[in-house]
Amino acid sequence: MTTATASRLIARHGRAVTFLRQGAPVSDDGGGSTPGPVTPQAATGFVASFDDELKGQGGGFVQADDVKLLVAVDGLTITPTPGDRVQVGDDVLNVIRVSRVDPDGDLRFWTVQGRAQ
């Protein structure tokens, strides 16, 4: 499967999602700082589920309500990272884990583990 094929399938069966990345801290002019503005990044993702056996293993590695999101590479200008948040419909999830799917070194799509806040 090529990157184009993966992106096309995710677009056909997925939906619009938005990554929300917290900006760098901004000085508050009083010696402290406040969080920088959140930057949204549009993407396309397919919501999947984790296998039941994964949910029962690893001491909470995958929790019962975690969401598996397959994210297309096309149009995504950031590399998703733990600490980001992702909005899927009305739900905002914390990004817990991100994996590259690149069987031959060519990135096909991202697998993102999201968890309710």
Side-chain angles (χ1 to χ4, degrees):
M1 174 185 309
T2 66
T3 301
T5 300
S7 291
R8 188 172 57 251
L9 288 170
I10 291 170
R12 180 181 302 151
H13 301 286
R15 60 199 288 186
V17 300
T18 304
F19 282 91
L20 305 168
R21 180 163 287 172
Q22 188 70 53
V26 177
S27 172
D28 66 5
D29 295 327
S33 63
T34 58
V38 172
T39 303
Q41 168 64 55
T44 304
F46 175 78
V47 178
S49 61
F50 286 100
D51 295 333
D52 286 338
E53 65 184 60
L54 280 177
K55 292 178 185 176
Q57 296 176 2
F61 176 72
V62 176
Q63 295 181 4
D65 293 333
D66 283 0
V67 173
K68 182 185 214 179
L69 189 62
L70 309 179
V71 179
V73 174
D74 287 353
L76 187 63
T77 60
I78 63 168
T79 297
T81 58
D84 287 341
R85 292 177 298 144
V86 62
Q87 183 170 359
V88 181
D90 292 333
D91 297 325
V92 177
L93 308 169
N94 292 317
V95 174
I96 303 301
R97 192 167 282 105
V98 178
S99 300
R100 292 173 54 98
V101 178
D102 59 354
D104 59 0
D106 188 20
L107 179 62
R108 303 294 199 274
F109 58 92
W110 298 100
T111 301
V112 174
Q113 179 181 353
R115 184 170 293 157
Q117 297 186 37

